[in-house]
Amino acid sequence: MDRILWKVLAFLVCAVLLFLVPLLNMLERQDDIAYNIVFAECSRFADICRDTGYITPNLYTDFVNRLNSTGNTYQVRMTHIKRSVNPVYRQTGNTMEFTGDYEIIHVTRGEDEILDVLFPLTPLSPLDESRRYKMAMGDLFFVEVQNRGKTMAVALRDMILFSNTKTPCIFVRAGGMVRNEAY
Amino acid sequence: MKLTSLAILFVIIILPFLFISDQSSKTAAEDRKLRTYYDNIIDNAVQDAAFILSRNAHEESGNARQAAAAAFFDTLYYSFYSYADLAAKARIDACVPLLVFLENEGFCLYALNPYNDVRGQTVVRHTWFPVQHYIGETLSGRFSVRYTLGSDVYVYDQLDKSFYQGDYRDFRDKISFFNDEQTFENLKLGAVNNSVRKEIMRYMEQYNSWASGKSLYISIEFPSIDDSDWKRALTDEGILVFAQGFPVLSGKSYRHYALGGARVIRKAPIVGYSWHGILYYCRTDCEYYNKIVLTDTGFDPDSIIYFSDEYEAAQNGHFPCPYE
């Protein structure tokens, strides 16, 4: 009986050491590569959008396709922060009085609004100008990419260590000010 | 002992070592990722600020600086996802204590400064420090010189008690150092370097004595800057940013500096013309245009139109010049 237990234990240890650990190592390298690709693509996409001042449907689908080619699925979040300079009026009774000041108002536009412009309900050619999402010079534009669910490496590590990782292992943010209006 | 037991013993002994080295290498990799991320954000923010600065170059310099500083912090706050979070903003402010704006006539610090507000509470915010000039050493024992980033100088003659202003070449007969362009450039760079460095050092000393013992603010140090970077920063209008103390995982504390050049690059305007019945456009310094098109007797000079950029030219039906 004792011998059989030892054999089972030896078998398990062998399985872990011979197969799972090298596999885990390999998958982790794959994650590193995926991170680098996502990082590069994300910066590229954000830079193109910032340098041209608009997003086209083709650009966006191309970006998402490139991300998906890494074998994981990703959640892409875009934010466009619209900047407008407004005069400040003070209301006294019924009259509006100009205070001489101005203020800068930031309006954040989320992913939904951007995607609604890029992919409208009515079918249009992707090159149609109304499908461009336009931003103004001086606005801010950010892209955030994180992987959905678990990557293979994380899943395998969770299996070996009996843990449950909730944080995304690939998380990239890029963006900044829009510098051009080339539309 | 059997061979299998020996193997298991070996694995048990070696496993902790492997684990620890694996963990530390992973931490180092994550740490590097984090630092690159910070570098990226700060470089980006400085570029944005420099962009605003060069776009508002025609404005009064104070306004342009204000707009640039606002743009810098806007980008930074949004990059760290903390625009609505005052505590996070204060944290970021504490990590970017010092911005230096270099302008033609002088430079200006935009730095964290504690002061008492109207209610008597201490407020720590970025404030503008007075503009400082680039003062050089006294030349020939009598000339005090104030430099600008360009070729203009202000000279005070201590013997004659007189003040002059103008291009450095105008003072060649008076000040022998200005005969050679290279000598002048060296003197200017030395003056700019010394005044900027001295002012930054002075600020850092003041800041450190104030910040010591406060957990949010870390003591700042003058970072080691490449000589070539430093030279590049000081010969042109622009922004210099020191960022320190962003949280990292291992190793030395985070320290980064970033430069943004705000030089307004004036592109040659675009010229459009008709050549053999086809509309073309090119830069005004295009060789083909200057040497062949303009000198051709058959060329109709009335067809020349100036455009502000390629887009405008193409919109009016002009093709790019194929020889450029």
Side-chain angles (χ1 to χ4, degrees):
Chain A
M1 188 63 195
D2 239 18
R3 285 178 70 91
I4 295 169
L5 269 179
W6 272 113
K7 281 241 165 80
V8 170
L9 185 69
F11 183 74
L12 280 177
V13 168
C14 274
V16 167
L17 288 181
L18 273 179
F19 300 108
L20 290 184
V21 169
L23 192 65
L24 180 64
N25 238 316
M26 225 165 67
L27 289 172
E28 272 173 358
R29 290 297 82 72
Q30 199 182 324
D31 267 15
D32 285 351
I33 295 167
Y35 174 85
N36 283 334
I37 292 173
V38 171
F39 185 77
E41 286 305 326
C42 197
S43 315
R44 205 181 74 105
F45 176 69
D47 284 351
I48 292 177
C49 293
R50 289 167 61 203
D51 285 342
T52 53
Y54 59 85
I55 313 168
T56 59
N58 283 344
L59 188 66
Y60 179 75
T61 37
D62 200 34
F63 167 59
V64 174
N65 284 342
R66 277 156 185 269
L67 287 183
N68 288 339
S69 72
T70 56
N72 304 317
T73 52
Y74 297 93
Q75 187 185 347
V76 181
R77 225 194 259 156
M78 296 182 284
T79 22
H80 167 216
I81 295 137
K82 205 167 169 43
R83 199 167 154 278
S84 64
V85 186
N86 293 33
V88 182
Y89 280 88
R90 192 185 290 123
Q91 190 172 10
T92 40
N94 279 331
T95 52
M96 298 281 271
E97 194 189 329
F98 183 47
T99 55
D101 281 341
Y102 69 90
E103 61 183 356
I104 295 169
I105 299 176
H106 291 250
V107 181
T108 306
R109 290 205 177 149
E111 164 110 323
D112 291 347
E113 275 170 275
I114 298 175
L115 287 185
D116 280 351
V117 175
L118 293 184
F119 303 102
L121 291 173
T122 48
L124 276 171
S125 148
L127 299 174
D128 197 276
E129 205 157 313
S130 69
R131 284 183 69 176
R132 284 182 189 174
Y133 185 81
K134 291 174 182 171
M135 298 176 283
M137 214 189 269
D139 290 358
L140 293 159
F141 176 71
F142 288 97
V143 190
E144 186 182 296
V145 178
Q146 65 185 71
N147 65 314
R148 233 187 244 135
K150 292 176 184 174
T151 60
M152 289 284 276
V154 173
L156 196 61
R157 193 169 39 218
D158 281 357
M159 197 183 89
I160 294 175
L161 301 177
F162 304 110
S163 60
N164 187 14
T165 313
K166 287 263 168 59
T167 48
C169 86
I170 296 173
F171 183 91
V172 171
R173 244 174 99 76
M177 191 179 286
V178 177
R179 293 181 188 149
N180 201 355
E181 294 176 14
Y183 37 80
Chain B
M1 221 190 294
K2 269 192 293 184
L3 206 61
T4 42
S5 318
L6 209 63
I8 289 171
L9 196 69
F10 172 73
V11 165
I12 288 170
I13 291 169
I14 212 81
L15 214 57
F17 291 102
L18 283 180
F19 184 72
I20 289 168
S21 76
D22 185 50
Q23 283 300 313
S24 61
S25 75
K26 242 180 230 163
T27 319
E30 286 295 322
D31 187 62
R32 207 208 55 232
K33 248 188 232 174
L34 200 61
R35 281 168 198 262
T36 327
Y37 178 65
Y38 292 146
D39 286 0
N40 244 333
I41 285 179
I42 289 159
D43 290 347
N44 231 326
V46 168
Q47 273 172 26
D48 287 351
F51 171 73
I52 290 290
L53 204 60
S54 59
R55 247 183 84 197
N56 294 337
H58 53 277
E59 288 234 15
E60 201 195 324
S61 74
N63 288 346
R65 262 181 291 166
Q66 186 71 52
F72 176 80
F73 282 105
D74 270 359
T75 306
L76 212 56
Y77 293 148
Y78 276 111
S79 297
F80 284 116
Y81 229 140
S82 60
Y83 205 82
D85 185 349
L86 286 177
K89 268 171 142 175
R91 187 90 200 276
I92 293 168
D93 281 353
C95 290
V96 191
L98 177 60
L99 276 76
V100 184
F101 284 78
L102 293 156
E103 281 166 5
N104 193 26
E105 294 276 323
F107 64 99
C108 186
L109 260 56
Y110 185 59
L112 274 189
N113 195 23
Y115 62 91
N116 286 338
D117 71 350
V118 280
R119 278 174 294 175
Q121 284 168 328
T122 309
V123 180
V124 186
R125 292 182 74 173
H126 284 89
T127 50
W128 293 101
F129 282 61
V131 175
Q132 307 272 333
H133 296 303
Y134 311 114
I135 311 288
E137 300 165 45
T138 308
L139 300 176
S140 322
R142 58 185 280 200
F143 297 109
S144 305
V145 185
R146 190 188 123 197
Y147 297 88
T148 61
L149 290 184
S151 59
D152 285 359
V153 287
Y154 299 83
V155 180
Y156 179 71
D157 189 338
Q158 291 172 358
L159 287 185
D160 295 354
K161 303 250 181 288
S162 49
F163 182 74
Y164 310 99
Q165 169 188 356
D167 196 280
Y168 77 96
R169 294 179 200 93
D170 302 347
F171 302 107
R172 274 183 175 162
D173 41 336
K174 270 197 198 131
I175 305 169
S176 58
F177 295 101
F178 289 180
N179 275 322
D180 179 32
E181 196 185 333
Q182 194 55 45
T183 324
F184 170 74
E185 287 294 329
N186 288 344
L187 277 172
K188 186 177 83 181
L189 192 66
V192 175
N193 188 353
N194 277 339
S195 5
V196 173
R197 201 177 274 252
K198 216 158 74 189
E199 184 61 19
I200 294 174
M201 292 291 200
R202 192 199 58 72
Y203 170 74
M204 283 184 174
E205 213 166 281
Q206 178 200 332
Y207 177 87
N208 284 342
S209 69
W210 168 80
S212 72
K214 296 185 174 62
S215 56
L216 183 58
Y217 303 98
I218 52 135
S219 70
I220 51 177
E221 260 174 49
F222 201 82
S224 58
I225 300 180
D226 284 353
D227 267 357
S228 55
D229 265 2
W230 191 234
K231 236 179 224 167
R232 197 157 54 86
L234 295 181
T235 44
D236 206 356
E237 294 188 26
I239 306 167
L240 190 58
V241 171
F242 297 93
Q244 317 199 320
F246 282 110
V248 286
L249 298 173
S250 68
K252 278 196 212 155
S253 69
Y254 179 78
R255 196 159 287 154
H256 184 65
Y257 64 89
L259 318 164
R263 190 205 328 236
V264 189
I265 300 161
R266 277 181 219 291
K267 277 189 294 183
I270 302 283
V271 63
Y273 56 90
S274 158
W275 178 242
H276 294 310
I278 299 174
L279 297 168
Y280 287 110
Y281 74 84
C282 66
R283 299 237 179 113
T284 43
D285 55 357
C286 168
E287 212 171 291
Y288 184 79
Y289 168 70
N290 285 319
K291 287 215 173 117
I292 296 173
V293 178
L294 282 182
T295 50
D296 187 11
T297 46
F299 177 66
D300 175 21
D302 287 341
S303 71
I304 294 177
I305 319 174
Y306 287 95
F307 299 110
S308 57
D309 52 30
E310 295 96 322
Y311 304 107
E312 200 190 334
Q315 248 164 20
N316 285 300
H318 287 255
F319 288 98
C321 159
Y323 305 100
E324 208 168 13

